[in-house]
Amino acid sequence: MKILVINGPNLNMLGIREPAIYGAETYETLCRLISSFAVEHGIEAEVFQSNHEGDLVDRIQQAYGTADGIVINPAAYTHTSVALLDAVKAVGIPTVEVHISDVSKREDFRQISYIRRACIATISGHGLKGYTEAMELLMKEAGL
Ligand code: DQA
């Protein structure tokens, strides 16, 4: 099984950006966590991060026919991007939405998630652990 983990804008700044909200662990730590989980569970994982909406759309499209599951934290594009929603719908790959912070307890403008409509589940507020929980869900979905 191959899982693609996609992170949107500013998530490369983890550890530096608003640590009271997103924690002190860095983006590199997140990448290592995902790789270790994949190795332990005998699956493949690829991590991709971009600050650009079109690059995120391109990466989702490239997953067609190559990835069995997608974990996506679209970051700020969660609340604005119909293009990312359409891309996930277009490829038809089981996708889980992840947020490090609990967006349900934050500002009004974070209460809308466009991508949620195309996702089999949302994990919000579990910190970095949310990513491996999402990978577990995708493995279950695939019958592993
Ligand atoms: C986020 C929540 C978003 O509202 C925010 O724009 C982010 C990160 C999270 O992981 O908690 O950049 O997706």
Side-chain angles (χ1 to χ4, degrees):
M1 174 174 201
K2 179 165 179 182
I3 295 177
L4 173 64
V5 181
I6 299 178
N7 279 298
N10 301 306
L11 289 166
N12 55 316
M13 298 287 283
L14 280 178
I16 300 166
R17 98 181 262 220
E18 301 180 270
I21 296 174
Y22 299 111
E25 297 194 287
T26 63
Y27 181 69
E28 285 65 38
T29 302
L30 173 62
C31 294
R32 276 200 301 273
L33 183 75
I34 290 163
S35 299
S36 312
F37 179 91
V39 170
E40 274 165 32
H41 292 81
I43 62 167
E44 263 184 85
E46 188 187 327
V47 184
F48 178 79
Q49 190 277 330
S50 176
N51 294 322
H52 307 282
E53 187 175 13
D55 289 347
L56 296 165
V57 171
D58 286 344
R59 192 62 196 88
I60 293 166
Q61 289 185 5
Q62 284 157 14
Y64 181 71
T66 66
D68 308 298
I70 296 174
V71 173
I72 187 162
N73 182 347
Y77 291 137
T78 307
H79 318 300
T80 62
S81 181
V82 177
L84 288 180
L85 166 67
D86 286 348
V88 170
K89 280 181 159 178
V91 296
I93 300 168
T95 298
V96 178
E97 174 190 15
V98 170
H99 299 287
I100 295 166
S101 65
D102 183 355
V103 282
S104 74
K105 303 230 163 69
R106 298 184 63 193
E107 302 95 325
D108 286 353
F109 63 83
R110 295 185 206 275
Q111 301 313 312
I112 288 174
S113 167
Y114 286 98
I115 204 131
R116 193 157 301 171
R117 292 167 184 248
C119 293
I120 61 168
T122 296
I123 298 172
S124 182
H126 296 188
L128 300 192
K129 193 163 50 72
Y131 287 83
T132 52
E133 288 172 2
M135 291 169 81
E136 258 166 23
L137 267 178
L138 288 170
M139 286 174 65
K140 272 201 195 118
E141 180 77 11
L144 296 178

